[in-house]
Amino acid sequence: MKALVLTLSAAVIMVGCSQNNPSADITPKAYTEISVTHVEEGSISRQLELRVETEYLHTTDITAPVNGFIRSMSIQPGQRVGRGGFLFSMVSAEQNALGMNTTPTVVRASRPSVVSAVGPQNGSYVTEGSVVCTLTDMSSLVFKVKVPTEYSKCIHEGTRCTIVMPDGRKLASTLSMPLMQMAVSDQTIDYVARANISSLPAGLVAKALVSVGSASVKSHQTLPLEAVQSDDNMTSYWVMKLTSDSTVVKVPVTLGNRNSQSVEILSPQLSSRDRIVQQGAYGLTEDALVKIK
């Protein structure tokens, strides 16, 4: 019985000592490991994605040279013909009426082309000047780049672009002359671009990537993209700035242009000595403790 009393007394003493020791209730605070970066000066080009359509600028209607009958017509729509290639032959109405054994008049292509349309067939009567077939000049293929009017000051003749085809092919090109007709529906101006490619159908839709410079001034503060945080709707942005080696403060920022690696900081004006959290900033709050790697 005495042994039991002594044991209980010892237990009570141990519990009392534990309650009187403040260090027993202190839980070590967790630190978030971070890396830091600093603002730099520079500018970032903005990449625009514009709609592109293919078109052949030179389409020629081939007409009958005389009133008469088609003697031979062997071309079909979609057929390719080379320069000097046979298109059709015909005899005049007088020759046909008299049954004269004369050589038909032959009409040939003046340049490499594709037959777009064919009208009359063998034996058909045609009048002088009527359309017999239509040819498309294969060398007149262009890309019409649709440039919105608000970009007319930064996109113009001589602007470089990259045309991205539907199959992923990328073609380097340069905008040349604008077609002097505005698309009223979407307020765009069509610029002509050429590329080293052929055998494309007219009306094919692709896209053009054009880089335009930073707006307003030549130089801005820039930060790595991962240093900038945003809300779920991407309507507000901020960075986390160190106030000491272990504490941070949230600084709202206004962004400018960005690319895959960096972003312009338009405001506020940060110091080049400010330490901005780069890695480890995601989900970081102002009451969090940090430790620089």
Side-chain angles (χ1 to χ4, degrees):
M1 185 65 179
K2 290 183 178 180
L4 179 59
V5 171
L6 290 175
T7 301
L8 291 174
S9 299
V12 170
I13 293 172
M14 291 178 65
V15 170
C17 292
S18 176
Q19 291 176 346
N20 293 330
N21 185 5
S23 62
D25 292 334
I26 296 178
T27 302
K29 293 185 178 181
Y31 285 77
T32 301
E33 286 195 343
I34 62 168
S35 66
V36 298
T37 187
H38 303 274
V39 293
E40 297 181 353
E41 290 293 321
S43 61
I44 299 173
S45 295
R46 181 169 40 146
Q47 193 171 71
L48 300 178
E49 183 176 304
L50 306 177
R51 180 183 173 89
V52 173
E53 293 179 2
T54 56
E55 184 175 300
Y56 288 91
L57 294 182
H58 299 150
T59 299
T60 306
D61 290 332
I62 307 301
T63 59
V66 295
N67 294 330
F69 294 87
I70 301 295
R71 176 65 62 86
S72 176
M73 169 76 75
S74 59
I75 56 175
Q76 298 293 330
Q79 179 180 331
R80 296 174 181 270
V81 292
R83 181 177 182 179
F86 176 85
L87 298 177
F88 62 91
S89 65
M90 60 180 299
V91 294
S92 67
E94 293 80 2
Q95 291 172 333
N96 185 72
L98 297 174
M100 298 174 60
N101 188 18
T102 58
T103 302
T105 300
V106 175
V107 179
R108 300 181 181 276
S110 60
R111 56 172 62 99
S113 305
V114 169
V115 179
S116 303
V118 176
Q121 298 298 314
N122 292 337
S124 299
Y125 176 79
V126 293
T127 58
E128 181 179 354
S130 61
V131 177
V132 177
C133 63
T134 302
L135 302 182
T136 297
D137 182 1
M138 294 296 293
S139 64
S140 70
L141 173 66
V142 299
F143 295 89
K144 293 195 306 181
V145 182
K146 298 185 172 295
V147 178
T149 53
E150 60 263 31
Y151 297 119
S152 57
K153 290 185 177 180
C154 57
I155 300 179
H156 44 72
E157 186 173 350
T159 298
R160 297 179 180 274
C161 68
T162 300
I163 297 173
V164 182
M165 302 300 294
D167 60 4
R169 285 180 293 174
K170 295 183 178 180
L171 310 171
S173 186
T174 302
L175 301 186
S176 56
M177 60 179 182
L179 300 178
M180 302 309 294
Q181 182 177 358
M182 179 178 290
V184 178
S185 59
D186 55 7
Q187 291 293 292
T188 59
I189 301 173
D190 291 342
Y191 278 80
V192 171
R194 300 178 186 272
N196 186 23
I197 192 172
S198 59
S199 303
L200 295 177
L204 179 70
V205 176
K207 63 182 178 181
L209 304 179
V210 181
S211 295
V212 296
S214 177
S216 70
V217 293
K218 293 183 178 179
S219 183
H220 290 295
Q221 298 178 114
T222 64
L223 279 172
L225 197 60
E226 62 182 326
V228 179
Q229 308 302 309
S230 72
D231 59 7
D232 292 339
N233 297 323
M234 301 188 72
T235 56
S236 61
Y237 300 88
W238 65 88
V239 298
M240 304 302 292
K241 182 176 73 172
L242 268 74
T243 54
S244 70
D245 287 341
S246 60
T247 58
V248 293
V249 63
K250 180 178 179 180
V251 179
V253 295
T254 302
L255 305 185
N257 292 341
R258 72 191 73 182
N259 56 27
S260 60
Q261 297 178 331
S262 303
V263 60
E264 292 176 344
I265 305 298
L266 302 184
S267 66
Q269 187 69 29
L270 300 171
S271 169
S272 59
R273 296 188 298 273
D274 287 338
R275 294 178 296 175
I276 307 299
V277 178
Q278 181 173 349
Q279 295 180 344
Y282 179 76
L284 202 61
T285 60
E286 288 188 311
D287 59 350
L289 295 177
V290 298
K291 180 169 62 176
I292 301 175
K293 293 181 182 179

